[in-house]
Every structure is written in structure tokens, then in C-alpha cells.
Amino acid sequence: MTSMYEHVGGEEALRRVETAFYDKVLADPVLKSLFPERRPHHVDHLTWFTAESFGGPDRFSRELGFDYLIAVHRHLKITDEQRERFAELYMEAFQEAGLLESAAFRDAVRSHVEFGAEVAQQNSHAGTDEELHPIRAVPRWTWEG
């Protein structure tokens, strides 16, 4: 079975998707409060996370760790509208890159982004560590491709 990482064409293809996605969220009025300014390493971090979760190298875990991901979402108070818009723009970026032609892959990407957005939203409202989502490692996503 081909990993999702291999299916998209590796890190450079994911970097193109994440760059397009990041441009979208920075310009989006619904997400502006979550993404108020361009951060120099944000595309790198998005790319590393997606690559690892799609079955590629574990650079996100090695260089940043999952605690970093929890920390950047803490106290953001992500709304349902923001969570849904985030997922919508993520899917748009993959679609525009021509990577969602396979229904199985499209479903896997949608599942991945919706799960991640739900985890981020929960963590953004957590007042204590006990209220955080229990996941503490980058999830490995698979598909029937």
C-alpha cells in the first residue's frame, strides 16, 4: 500500500499545498484572529506535521514535538465557524493542487483535517491539562489507495 505521503509526491508537493493553504488562512476574515500575521516558519511546521502524519519523515516530532502543537493552540478559543473554515480552506488547497482526484485519498485527507481541527479546537479551550485532547503524538493517517 502506498502511503499518503508517497501518493502526494513527498515533501515538496506538501510544501506547495501548505504554502497555498497558509496564504488562504492569512487572508480569510473568519480566521484572521487566529492567523494575524505571517510567521516565518509556519509553512515549514505545517509541512513537517502533514508529512509525518501522512507516513513521511518524523521531523515534526524530532524537531518540535507534540507539546509544541498543544502550546500553540492553547487559549486560542477556536470557534466552530473557525474550525469549519480551516478545514474548508485546507481541502481547497489540496483540490487546487490537483491531489484529490482519488475519492479514497480525498476522504482520508478530509478525515485527517477534520480530526486535527477538532483536536486543536478542544485544546484551544482547555483550561487545564486534563481538559486537553488525550492525543500526545502525531497521528499516522492511512488510506485504502
Side-chain angles (χ1 to χ4, degrees):
M1 179 187 297
T2 303
S3 72
M4 292 175 69
Y5 180 77
E6 293 167 326
H7 179 76
V8 298
E11 187 168 329
E12 285 311 308
L14 286 174
R15 181 172 306 284
R16 286 191 300 275
V17 170
E18 299 296 3
T19 298
F21 168 69
Y22 193 48
D23 289 344
K24 288 174 179 293
V25 299
L26 286 168
D28 190 83
V30 173
L31 297 174
K32 190 67 174 161
S33 65
L34 300 177
F35 297 91
E37 65 185 12
R38 184 175 297 276
R39 295 192 176 147
H41 301 292
H42 206 134
V43 169
D44 290 337
H45 297 169
L46 289 167
T47 302
W48 299 348
F49 180 85
T50 305
E52 185 170 339
S53 64
F54 279 16
D58 66 348
R59 188 171 181 182
F60 186 89
S61 291
R62 285 185 292 108
E63 296 194 22
L64 296 173
F66 204 79
D67 286 341
Y68 170 84
L69 192 59
I70 291 170
V72 299
H73 292 108
R74 288 290 291 261
H75 312 295
L76 288 178
K77 307 287 189 219
I78 298 169
T79 66
D80 289 342
E81 180 185 24
Q82 289 169 324
R83 176 182 45 79
E84 291 165 6
R85 185 67 178 147
F86 181 95
E88 180 182 336
L89 293 178
Y90 195 79
M91 295 303 293
E92 271 184 23
F94 267 86
Q95 181 68 40
E96 290 168 3
L99 297 173
L100 297 181
E101 293 177 10
S102 161
F105 186 76
R106 182 175 50 253
D107 290 346
V109 172
R110 182 177 309 285
S111 172
H112 169 266
V113 70
E114 288 177 356
F115 175 77
E118 288 171 9
V119 170
Q121 183 180 30
Q122 180 176 339
N123 290 344
S124 78
H125 289 274
T128 66
D129 287 352
E130 291 74 28
E131 294 172 335
L132 291 169
H133 191 280
I135 191 168
R136 293 294 186 274
V138 175
R140 293 292 182 140
W141 233 252
T142 60
W143 70 305
E144 299 297 323

